[in-house]
Amino acid sequence: VFTGKANCPYYAKAEHLADCLQATLPSFRVHKITQHPDKWEQWLHDICETNGWEHRQSPIIWRELLDRGGKGQLLGGLNEFLEYAQQYYGITSMMLSEEMLDIAEENLQAHLEIVKEDEEIKSLIKPMQIWITSASAPICYQLIPLLANGEVFGMTTEISIHLLDTGQFKELLCSIVMEAEDMAFPLLHSILEHTEIDEAFIEADVIIVLDDVLLNLEVQSLENYIREMSEVCKVYAPLIEKNAKNEVRVISSGKTFANLKATLIMMYGPSIKPENIIAVATSWESAAKAMLARKLNMSTAGVKDVIVWGNTTGSNYIDLSHAKLYGYDCAIWGPANFQRPLLSMIYDREWIHSEFLSAQGSLHSQVGRCTGMLPAHAVATVLQYWYHGSPPGEIVSVGVLSEGQFCVPEGIIFSMPVRFQNGSWEVIQELEINGTTQEVLGRLAHELIQEKLVALKEIEEIHPY
């Protein structure tokens, strides 16, 4: 193995002699490595440190038995190799100094061309950059395989995943990185851990915000928890503006303050496009469909158009007035697209109000106990819809910026029915809602407005303008 500075005349002479040996001896093989002069010293230091060698000049030459493996045997520099070739093979080099300099110059130009070609090839590979905050959370562990298997962004789209968290979780993040690399996902170009906030969101295409607080109102007030989350968003938003791509898409998830996080990132990052910031409500939607399917003894896939209104991680309303059943086993059957109104198939209205819709019911308990799989699936599903479109004719619930739709006040992130199409979303405004639902929406909007006001008040007290 011959390595040296690309413009080194001594490397050129050793290389010429090596080529002669390879042409003359049937079992002699040469492997050449050139380094740019600016990078040579560091490269030499690293290779010597790795192998326990002492060598300080160009070139460095060692011998490897390819069919046996093991650490290479250091021969030394040019003089040692000349002596080695003379002793073992009776061959030496008579190359003159001028020839050495000419070949060294040619080597440097060839090296620069190879580096340029490699950079051009690498520039053609532009993986999508996915950043996940609070990456030590269980949802992140469940989310990585869903993002890397190709179903979310497409089977031809390579991705790079960046895991961001504080320094105390560095060891955990490194373990996640190693495990993901061991799984050898074909589309996972790279996965990296980050604990320095200044390098967050560089070139980000997608940012998934998982930051949470463990609510315990006996320990401190809700206002303090809101202040804590507001401080996080106040740090994230300017970094997103500074480091991420202009079309970056931000998804707010987690167990607490998902709507508020999206709202505050939007406020503290005014250059981030509002339509590119959403809060995930699909966990509630999926859990509600599963619970209804169990009640009706049918497949969950047949329950469609359940709407989640309001706060995706707080007070919300599960609206069944537009829900439909496909493939339900009843007296009337039809083709695959035949559907029945859900409320006309469930006659136990007491169950709906006591077990299904109440704050103490099974649905709230089920969503509250989720540790990672369901919310991870919810995030992956929303991303898939965002990039490839939601199923035609189906309603998806997502927390988006209100512009007055359904009489919901403007300026808050509010979960409402949308459809995804052509890489964007739109609110399904043609849906009719009754007076009771409208009253509930007003109450939910009031709670979100108060939450936002508390956050702004706390921030202004700490950072008065």
Side-chain angles (χ1 to χ4, degrees), residues 252-263 279-280 311-313 413:
S252 177
S253 185
K255 289 189 174 183
T256 56
F257 302 122
N259 290 49
L260 180 64
K261 286 183 291 187
T263 301
V280 175
N311 192 344
T312 63
T313 54
I413 297 290

Side-chain angles (χ1 to χ4, degrees), residues 183-197:
M183 295 180 73
F185 293 105
L187 297 175
L188 183 58
H189 183 267
S190 64
I191 179 168
L192 304 168
E193 50 85 17
H194 303 270
T195 55
E196 298 295 333
I197 190 64

Side-chain angles (χ1 to χ4, degrees), residues 138-143 146 210 253-255 280-291 294 300 312 362-382:
I139 175 178
C140 178
Y141 187 79
Q142 302 285 347
L143 182 59
L146 300 178
L210 302 181
S253 185
K255 289 189 174 183
V280 175
T282 323
S283 294
W284 284 95
E285 189 179 313
S286 299
K289 290 177 179 179
M291 190 171 179
R294 286 192 293 269
T300 304
T312 63
S362 300
L363 180 60
H364 283 71
S365 176
Q366 180 178 335
V367 175
R369 291 196 305 268
C370 292
T371 58
M373 191 181 299
L374 177 58
H377 179 265
V379 171
T381 300
V382 169

